[in-house]
Amino acid sequence: MTAAAMNVQDPEELLARLSARLGAGAGHAELRWHANASAQLSMRKGVLMVNRRSRAAGVSARVYQNGLYGFAAVPREDGAAMDQALADARRNAGVNRRHAHSGPGLAAAAAANAIYAPYDSGPGLAWNDRIELLKQVDAQARRKYPDLVDLTLSLGMNGSAKALVTGEGARAFSDVARSVFSARLTLESKQGPVALADQLGGLGDVDA
């Protein structure tokens, strides 16, 4: 989905929130945010059969302490969830203390900064307008093909957005959506029913 569909108004603001929770000088530590969104519409013979939308998001943290990594994830995205993920990751890094060591730590990594959201054109077509679009395509197909026996139209969207900050100052954000429209037709012919199918789609959401 787009950043708007992911409830991300500003990727920079999200990265700033993550960095504030991680804290300056956190060493080799990572705090991540991840959201997945999907939507599906399906219409058969002009009747809406599937009308579904979903979104799930959470945070995770990875911390390096005394030669050990600790990881934790929380299926929420608020500030308290970020704090919990970091605390749990630090605790998990100290669980297996007999393997810990106090030798040299990890080498410092470059503090890269990147935002990748090339297909975000805003909130996209309103949900009711997407349903209306399927109705219009259905009506046009029936006018064009009078021998139409069956017609199923589907419009599906899937998106994934991620954000990452590290204790060494790296910041990254990505937001990529994919949309697919498909049509399945059955026409009556002299030789019997003929089934046809096609689809089109690509990166991005359905534009308004």
Side-chain angles (χ1 to χ4, degrees), residues 37-78:
S38 66
Q40 185 71 35
L41 291 170
S42 184
M43 180 175 290
R44 184 183 181 198
K45 295 183 178 180
V47 178
L48 192 62
M49 307 296 290
V50 178
N51 184 354
R52 180 173 59 240
R53 286 180 284 181
S54 66
R55 179 185 179 278
V59 295
S60 64
R62 189 175 72 149
V63 175
Y64 182 83
Q65 292 183 168
N66 301 323
L68 299 173
Y69 276 107
F71 175 83
V74 178
R76 303 192 319 276
E77 54 185 319
D78 54 73

Side-chain angles (χ1 to χ4, degrees), residues 80 100 175 196 199 206:
D175 180 10
L196 304 172
Q199 66 179 26
V206 180

Side-chain angles (χ1 to χ4, degrees), residues 6-7 14 31 33 35 49 60 65 84 90 94 108 110 115 118 132 143 157 165 173 175 180 182 187 197 199 207:
M6 291 296 186
N7 289 349
L14 171 62
L31 183 59
W33 168 89
M49 307 296 290
S60 64
Q65 292 183 168
Q84 180 184 338
R90 293 189 176 102
I115 292 181
E132 185 61 30
R143 288 193 298 268
M157 296 137 288
V165 299
F173 175 85
D175 180 10
V180 176
S182 64
L187 302 172
Q199 66 179 26
D207 291 334

Side-chain angles (χ1 to χ4, degrees), residues 1-3 11 114-122 160-162 173-177:
M1 290 293 181
T2 63
I115 292 181
Y116 181 76
Y119 309 103
D120 187 0
S121 57
S160 180
K162 303 175 184 179
F173 175 85
S174 70
D175 180 10
V176 178

Side-chain angles (χ1 to χ4, degrees), residues 30 34 47 50 70 76 80 103 109 122 144 147 160 169 186:
E30 303 170 356
H34 189 182
V47 178
V50 178
R76 303 192 319 276
K144 186 172 182 178
D147 296 326
S160 180
T186 301

